[in-house]
Amino acid sequence: MYFFLLNLSLLDLGFISTIVPKSMANSLWDTRAISYSGCAVQVFVFVFLFAGEYSLLTVMAYDHYVAICKPLHYETLMGSRACVKMAAAAWGTSFLYSVLHTANTFSIPLCQGNRVDQFFCEIPQILKLSCSDSYLREVGLLAVSACVGFGCFVFIVLSYVQIFTAVLRMPSEQGRHKAFSTCIPHLVVVSLFVSTDMFAYLKHPSLSFPALDMVVAVLYSVVPPTLNPLIYSMRNKELKDALRKV
């Protein structure tokens, strides 16, 4: 579990570092400028970290499922080599996914100006600047990505249905408490990540205007990676005792 939390922490750190410093610098200098190459790099890194986090959260759901529903097989199914392979698969798949999206997005000719109505370079906002039907390729790729993401979401839900079924059957109250304390933080993180993403990309077009789009972008790009360390830190007994004293 801590191996996957380490990977998740690295992804969250990258998330914040990709978006927040540039937006803060622009705010301090009272500008919204970013170079074309800088925008491309930002899109690449953001998509890479976004896909990596979602992939890793899916892997962590499987890890929890094996730990609680198949404890006697845990060492066989989730040994150190298996964990490294799963993490490498998450990072590698996310890298290829990001390359594909970035190359496809920036191969589209843009002729609707150079103003992106967002505080960072976001693919849907860039597609609004396109001037040909070639943007439909990226729309199709986003649709396929949404289907894959929905499949991961279903996998996570089914995993937790089996996890909670197994936990409720445990005769020991201490065992149930330990299982819930392990799973609840992950479930909260997944819920926060998925709900903000779904609202950002599935909201009705009539609800799309610059101010709301910016607020929603903050909700799914800044809030989850900021809250993740706090949510997982709540499992630490020393930290909880310190908060009680405060």
Side-chain angles (χ1 to χ4, degrees), residues 4 48 68 164 178 209 216 235:
F4 291 127
F48 169 57
I68 293 173
F164 288 132
K178 184 177 181 180
F209 49 92
V216 171
R235 297 188 66 248

Side-chain angles (χ1 to χ4, degrees), residues 172-215:
S172 169
E173 183 177 350
Q174 183 179 0
R176 289 196 299 271
H177 176 74
K178 184 177 181 180
F180 278 125
S181 67
T182 300
C183 294
I184 293 300
H186 179 257
L187 195 56
V188 171
V189 169
V190 170
S191 301
L192 181 65
F193 190 75
V194 173
S195 60
T196 53
D197 294 340
M198 288 179 65
F199 183 75
Y201 289 100
L202 299 180
K203 68 180 184 296
H204 195 272
S206 63
L207 296 176
S208 182
F209 49 92
L212 180 61
D213 289 344
M214 190 167 294
V215 171

Side-chain angles (χ1 to χ4, degrees), residues 58-118:
T58 305
V59 171
M60 291 174 72
Y62 176 71
D63 174 60
H64 291 155
Y65 164 74
V66 175
I68 293 173
C69 299
K70 299 180 181 293
L72 298 180
H73 299 281
Y74 187 82
E75 290 297 330
T76 303
L77 297 175
M78 298 298 296
S80 57
R81 292 183 64 181
C83 290
V84 170
K85 288 180 181 179
M86 289 181 183
W91 287 86
T93 303
S94 302
F95 178 81
L96 294 176
Y97 175 80
S98 181
V99 169
L100 187 61
H101 267 296
T102 306
N104 200 33
T105 299
F106 287 91
S107 66
I108 299 171
L110 308 177
C111 64
Q112 304 293 328
N114 60 356
R115 179 185 175 86
V116 178
D117 291 326
Q118 194 54 272

Side-chain angles (χ1 to χ4, degrees), residues 1-8 56 59-60 63 78 83:
M1 181 182 67
Y2 289 106
F3 171 74
F4 291 127
L5 284 178
L6 171 63
N7 283 265
L8 188 66
L56 199 62
V59 171
M60 291 174 72
D63 174 60
M78 298 298 296
C83 290

Side-chain angles (χ1 to χ4, degrees), residues 107-242:
S107 66
I108 299 171
L110 308 177
C111 64
Q112 304 293 328
N114 60 356
R115 179 185 175 86
V116 178
D117 291 326
Q118 194 54 272
F119 68 96
F120 69 99
C121 287
E122 188 182 37
I123 289 179
Q125 298 295 333
I126 296 173
L127 293 181
K128 291 181 180 180
L129 306 178
S130 63
C131 54
S132 70
D133 291 337
S134 56
Y135 79 93
L136 293 175
R137 291 180 305 173
E138 179 61 20
V139 172
L141 187 58
L142 287 172
V144 173
S145 303
C147 292
V148 174
F150 180 73
C152 292
F153 176 71
V154 170
F155 177 82
I156 293 172
V157 170
L158 292 177
S159 297
Y160 272 98
V161 168
Q162 296 186 65
I163 286 171
F164 288 132
T165 301
V167 169
L168 293 174
R169 290 175 180 171
M170 289 181 178
S172 169
E173 183 177 350
Q174 183 179 0
R176 289 196 299 271
H177 176 74
K178 184 177 181 180
F180 278 125
S181 67
T182 300
C183 294
I184 293 300
H186 179 257
L187 195 56
V188 171
V189 169
V190 170
S191 301
L192 181 65
F193 190 75
V194 173
S195 60
T196 53
D197 294 340
M198 288 179 65
F199 183 75
Y201 289 100
L202 299 180
K203 68 180 184 296
H204 195 272
S206 63
L207 296 176
S208 182
F209 49 92
L212 180 61
D213 289 344
M214 190 167 294
V215 171
V216 171
V218 170
L219 286 177
Y220 83 85
S221 64
V222 178
V223 173
T226 303
L227 292 182
N228 284 356
L230 295 175
I231 293 170
Y232 278 108
S233 295
M234 290 300 100
R235 297 188 66 248
N236 186 283
K237 185 176 182 299
E238 289 76 12
L239 181 61
K240 288 191 288 187
D241 291 341

